[in-house]
């Protein structure tokens, strides 16, 4: 299944490959997680791979989940009509055998491969695609970040058992990708009158992919096994066990003891704790970029963040170069906008606002903030400049970042408290818009479409958590979706970049590299433009 929308990420995710059309929640680099690691057992045979999972997903429903950690697991279970090639990144068939596009670009017809079975033995048909689409469009389904990609789909209908038609009300340059990568769930499982958002199928997924869900030991592990009904060549690895380990240093020790095979490293682990010859003999170290960035978001619904001079002043108080060096050992790139920094969509001529406390104080003075009572804290209209930043308690980066920020802000007359929440509670706070400021990250898609994150229609329920609203940006984003000329779209994205740079709804932080280590028990481990592909790995003969 391709998932190319932005998903929010915490630091926890071993997201070995990157597939996606929507943006996913990314917890910036530490490993969150519920509970302890529990037993270190888990490898029942050499063909089992043990993968570190820092954050436990809320569920594995591919339609309602917006977590990168869930997407990383689901990509082995679920499929869609189309996928992207690991090397060329071109769209290739997955469940679709073929497809046609009407001359006006409004109608997309997919012919399904016949004989594809869900892992419970029921055949996949066009009814599953129609059902999945109807669920996405259902106002009661909690999938606002996904819905935005189907707002211009007028209808999806079954033409026959193996043929499905998508009809658009107007053109959209990503229509083929969006139709072709629709999350597909089995109708015979979900369509039973149960609330879709809380359906038990979200904890016991049934898919068509190369692996089947086997079991979920809450707080400890999620286990997948090779799908005996998978139609294509079976992967070499028999079983994937995701072990939930909250503490990254514990995870690294488990890796060294052979109790994990794949771990996403923190920068300090990458630089200082995995450089011995002994480690090199036992493990691959892989550094590669996929589209992502981290940020501090300011809730523009609330004072004082409804004033862009204040937001920009706060950005001037964040020493990003110092933080990148101190916390990430220089691993990463400072970004000034929302597009992937290694793409043409990113306007490299727009430089990040510099660390400049003096300029920050000027901006705050212009906004009416001063220390009228000489207590060391700025005030305005009788209110102190005091706010709270919400972070995921599992994110080591967020903890250290917010600690540095708290000290720097206090030097400039601003009080900031740090609120720490477990990942699930943190996401609830985010969805409820119940925060002053947050720090988090986005895992982006291969194709840019800023609608999900920045259009004002997404303020209430979508991914525009910080309440950014700008008429020019809205109009630009709407024109962008119907523009088929790539150069014109890039110019639009550069203009949006400039608007965001001026408005500073986020203090944009870093695009971070993936820092992954993998046991040399496996052969065939290589980095593709799309990331790592576990399905091509083999267990070395000496380790069998």
């Amino acid at each position: 299944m391709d998932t190319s929308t932005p998903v929010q990420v915490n630091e926890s995710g071993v997201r070995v490959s990157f597939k996606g059309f929507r943006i996913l929640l990314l917890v910036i680099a530490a490993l969150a997680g519920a509970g302890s690691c529990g037993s270190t057992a888990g490898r029942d045979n050499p063909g089992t791979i043990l993968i570190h999972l820092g954050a436990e997903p809320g569920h594995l429903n591919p339609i309602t989940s917006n977590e990168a950690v869930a997407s990383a697991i689901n990509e082995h279970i679920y499929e869609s009509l189309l996928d992207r090639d690991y090397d060329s990144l071109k769209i290739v068939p997955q469940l679709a055998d073929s497809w046609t596009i009407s001359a006006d670009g409004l109608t997309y017809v997919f012919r399904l491969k016949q004989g594809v079975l869900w892992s419970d033995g029921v055949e996949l048909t066009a009814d599953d695609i129609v059902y999945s689409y109807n669920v996405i469009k259902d106002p009661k389904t909690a999938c606002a970040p996904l819905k935005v990609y189907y707002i211009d789909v007028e209808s999806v209908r079954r033409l026959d058992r193996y043929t499905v038609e998508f009809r658009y009300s107007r053109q959209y340059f990503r229509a083929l990708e969006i139709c072709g990568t629709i999350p597909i769930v089995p109708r015979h499982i979900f369509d039973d009158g149960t609330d879709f958002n809380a359906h038990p199928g979200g904890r016991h997924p049934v898919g068509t992919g190369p692996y089947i869900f086997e079991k979920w030991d809450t707080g400890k592990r999620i286990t997948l096994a090779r799908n005996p009904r998978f139609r294509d060549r079976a992967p070499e690895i028999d079983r994937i066990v995701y072990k939930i380990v909250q503490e990254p240093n514990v995870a690294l020790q488990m890796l060294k003891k052979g109790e994990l095979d794949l771990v996403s490293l923190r920068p300090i682990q990458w630089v200082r704790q995995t450089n011995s010859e002994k480690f090199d003999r036992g493990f691959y170290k892989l550094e590669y970029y996929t589209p992502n960035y981290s940020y501090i978001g300011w809730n523009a619904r609330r004072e004082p963040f409804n004033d862009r001079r204040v937001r920009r002043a706060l950005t001037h108080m964040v020493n990003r170069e110092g933080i990148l060096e101190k916390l990430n050992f220089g691993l990463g790139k400072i970004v000034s906008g929302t597009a992937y920094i290694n793409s043409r969509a990113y306007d490299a001529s727009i430089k990040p606002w510099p660390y400049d406390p003096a300029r920050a104080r000027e901006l705050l003075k212009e906004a009416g903030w001063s220390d009228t009572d000489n207590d060391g804290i700025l005030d305005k209209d009788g209110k102190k400049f005091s706010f709270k930043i919400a972070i995921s308690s599992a994110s080591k980066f967020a903890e250290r970042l917010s600690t540095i920020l708290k000290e720097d802000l206090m030097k400039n007359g601003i009080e900031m408290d740090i609120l720490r929440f477990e990942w699930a509670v943190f996401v609830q706070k985010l969805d409820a818009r119940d925060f002053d400021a947050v720090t988090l990250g986005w895992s982006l898609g291969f194709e840019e479409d800023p609608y999900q994150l920045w259009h004002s229609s997404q303020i209430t329920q979508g991914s525009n958590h910080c309440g950014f609203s700008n008429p020019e940006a809205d109009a630009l984003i709407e024109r962008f979706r119907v523009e088929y000329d790539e150069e014109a779209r890039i110019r639009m994205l550069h203009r949006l970049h400039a608007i965001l740079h001026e408005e500073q709804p986020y203090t944009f932080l870093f695009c971070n590299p993936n820092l992954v280590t993998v046991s040399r028990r496996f052969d065939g481990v290589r980095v593709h433009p799309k990331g790592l592909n576990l399905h091509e790995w083999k267990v070395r003969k000496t380790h069998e």
Side-chain angles (χ1 to χ4, degrees):
M1 182 185 69
D2 191 289
T3 54
S4 183
T5 62
V7 270
Q8 202 125 35
V9 219
N10 65 26
E11 272 173 275
S12 51
V14 176
R15 188 161 195 200
V16 295
S17 71
F18 185 79
K19 315 173 73 171
F21 74 87
R22 59 180 153 157
I23 306 168
L24 300 173
L25 282 167
L26 192 64
V27 182
I28 326 161
L31 305 205
S36 66
C37 58
S39 168
T40 55
R43 194 194 315 284
D44 50 5
N45 69 63
T48 295
I49 185 168
L50 307 175
I51 298 179
H52 177 213
L53 200 65
E56 185 167 26
H59 56 78
L60 294 174
N61 185 322
I63 288 179
T64 55
S65 176
N66 197 37
E67 299 174 279
V69 66
S71 176
I73 298 171
N74 278 337
E75 69 187 36
H76 302 296
I77 301 172
Y78 287 103
E79 297 177 294
S80 192
L81 300 168
L82 305 174
D83 198 358
R84 282 188 184 272
D85 183 82
Y86 266 88
D87 292 312
S88 69
L89 299 181
K90 291 181 179 177
I91 289 176
V92 294
Q94 195 171 57
L95 293 174
D97 192 46
S98 61
W99 62 91
T100 60
I101 305 172
S102 64
D104 61 6
L106 296 176
T107 303
Y108 296 77
V109 176
F110 294 88
R111 182 75 178 166
L112 303 182
K113 294 175 180 175
Q114 297 186 25
V116 175
L117 301 179
W118 294 99
S119 59
D120 61 358
V122 176
E123 188 182 28
L124 171 101
T125 70
D127 293 327
D128 294 306
I129 289 89
V130 174
Y131 171 74
S132 300
Y133 167 76
N134 288 335
V135 166
I136 292 169
K137 296 290 280 189
D138 187 338
K140 297 189 297 297
T141 304
C143 63
L146 182 61
K147 288 181 194 290
V148 301
Y149 292 92
Y150 296 91
I151 54 177
D152 294 327
V153 178
E154 192 174 69
S155 65
V156 175
R157 65 190 183 107
R158 164 189 160 138
L159 301 185
D160 60 41
R161 184 175 176 82
Y162 301 109
T163 309
V164 62
E165 176 196 85
F166 290 74
R167 177 74 184 168
Y168 271 75
S169 59
R170 61 176 180 171
Q171 293 182 339
Y172 177 30
F173 81 98
R174 294 181 68 191
L176 174 63
E177 180 186 19
I178 296 303
C179 296
T181 57
I182 183 172
I184 303 171
V185 296
R187 176 182 175 180
H188 67 280
I189 299 287
F190 283 91
D191 192 14
D192 60 358
T194 305
D195 176 13
F196 185 83
N197 298 319
H199 196 285
R203 288 276 298 190
H204 300 82
V206 171
T208 59
Y211 288 90
I212 61 173
F213 171 82
E214 191 170 84
K215 63 179 179 178
W216 187 333
D217 299 316
T218 301
K220 295 180 180 177
R221 65 181 66 81
I222 297 171
T223 304
L224 312 182
R226 203 159 49 191
N227 182 358
R229 292 190 171 95
F230 188 57
R231 65 197 176 282
D232 289 338
R233 181 183 174 186
E236 294 281 338
I237 294 174
D238 298 328
R239 183 169 275 105
I240 302 174
V241 178
Y242 291 95
K243 302 182 78 169
I244 300 162
V245 182
Q246 184 172 8
E247 175 53 51
N249 291 328
V250 173
L252 181 56
Q253 292 307 312
M254 291 172 66
L255 177 85
K256 292 178 177 179
K257 293 177 183 176
E259 296 165 359
L260 286 168
D261 294 309
L262 192 158
V263 169
S264 181
L265 298 176
R266 295 176 60 212
I268 190 172
Q269 294 174 322
W270 179 269
V271 173
R272 293 184 176 174
Q273 299 170 16
T274 55
N275 279 337
S276 68
E277 290 184 10
K278 181 181 178 182
F279 189 89
D280 187 57
R281 286 195 299 271
F283 303 96
Y284 306 98
K285 287 180 69 177
L286 308 168
E287 178 183 2
Y288 56 96
Y289 278 89
T290 48
N292 74 83
Y293 67 84
S294 55
Y295 66 90
I296 302 170
W298 314 106
N299 191 343
R301 299 170 192 77
R302 299 184 178 182
E303 294 182 346
F305 309 113
N306 56 349
D307 187 329
R308 71 174 177 179
R309 292 170 297 184
V310 172
R311 299 192 297 267
R312 193 173 135 191
L314 290 165
T315 294
H316 279 302
M317 291 184 186
V318 180
N319 184 357
R320 285 175 283 187
E321 290 185 354
I323 291 169
L324 182 65
E325 193 61 38
K326 186 173 183 178
L327 301 189
N328 287 358
F329 295 84
L331 296 168
K333 301 176 183 179
I334 299 173
V335 299
S336 62
T338 193
Y340 178 37
I341 192 170
N342 293 328
S343 74
R344 294 176 63 221
Y346 185 91
D347 187 349
S349 70
I350 299 176
K351 303 301 180 187
W353 293 112
Y355 175 58
D356 189 347
R359 178 58 182 147
R361 288 191 291 273
E362 290 176 0
L363 286 166
L364 291 174
K365 187 175 181 180
E366 290 174 17
W369 292 94
S370 60
D371 184 9
T372 60
D373 54 7
N374 296 315
D375 67 349
I377 304 300
L378 300 177
D379 56 81
K380 177 182 177 182
D381 300 330
K383 293 183 178 178
K384 300 288 186 188
F385 198 142
S386 178
F387 72 95
K388 299 177 177 62
I389 188 169
I391 66 170
S392 165
S393 57
S395 172
K396 300 294 185 188
F397 175 84
E399 178 68 41
R400 298 189 67 194
L401 169 70
S402 54
T403 300
I404 293 171
L405 186 60
K406 178 182 174 74
E407 294 173 357
D408 287 348
L409 293 181
M410 181 54 77
K411 294 174 186 173
N412 290 284
I414 297 174
E415 284 184 328
M416 186 189 85
D417 290 330
I418 304 169
L419 301 180
R420 302 165 182 82
F421 300 100
E422 290 188 358
W423 175 241
V425 177
F426 181 84
V427 173
Q428 290 172 8
K429 291 278 184 183
L430 204 63
D431 290 342
R433 282 45 174 158
D434 183 16
F435 63 88
D436 295 332
V438 294
T439 184
L440 209 53
W442 288 112
S443 176
L444 306 169
F446 288 112
E447 290 278 0
E448 301 284 345
D449 181 356
Y451 196 99
Q452 179 186 340
L453 299 188
W454 302 113
H455 195 274
S456 62
S457 65
Q458 302 307 299
I459 288 176
T460 304
Q461 290 186 315
S463 298
N464 189 348
H465 304 116
C466 290
F468 171 73
S469 179
N470 180 290
E472 183 186 354
D474 277 356
L476 196 66
I477 292 168
E478 290 163 12
R479 292 201 310 275
F480 176 86
R481 298 190 113 196
V482 297
E483 178 58 67
Y484 280 73
D485 184 285
E486 183 179 4
E487 295 302 320
R489 289 202 307 272
I490 288 173
R491 288 194 294 274
M492 292 178 184
L493 289 172
H494 287 186
R495 176 58 194 149
L496 178 64
H497 190 156
I499 293 171
L500 294 173
H501 186 61
E502 291 299 322
E503 293 285 342
Q504 290 292 292
Y506 294 169
T507 294
F508 294 94
L509 295 177
F510 315 114
C511 176
N512 298 304
N514 297 283
L515 305 173
V516 178
T517 183
V518 181
S519 170
R520 291 189 184 272
R521 292 198 314 110
F522 300 96
D523 278 333
V525 177
R526 64 190 181 103
V527 178
H528 300 270
K530 196 168 121 177
L532 305 181
N533 182 4
L534 268 65
H535 302 169
E536 65 186 9
W537 295 5
K538 298 179 180 179
V539 179
R540 282 190 174 179
K541 296 295 182 184
T542 54
H543 289 283
E544 288 182 340

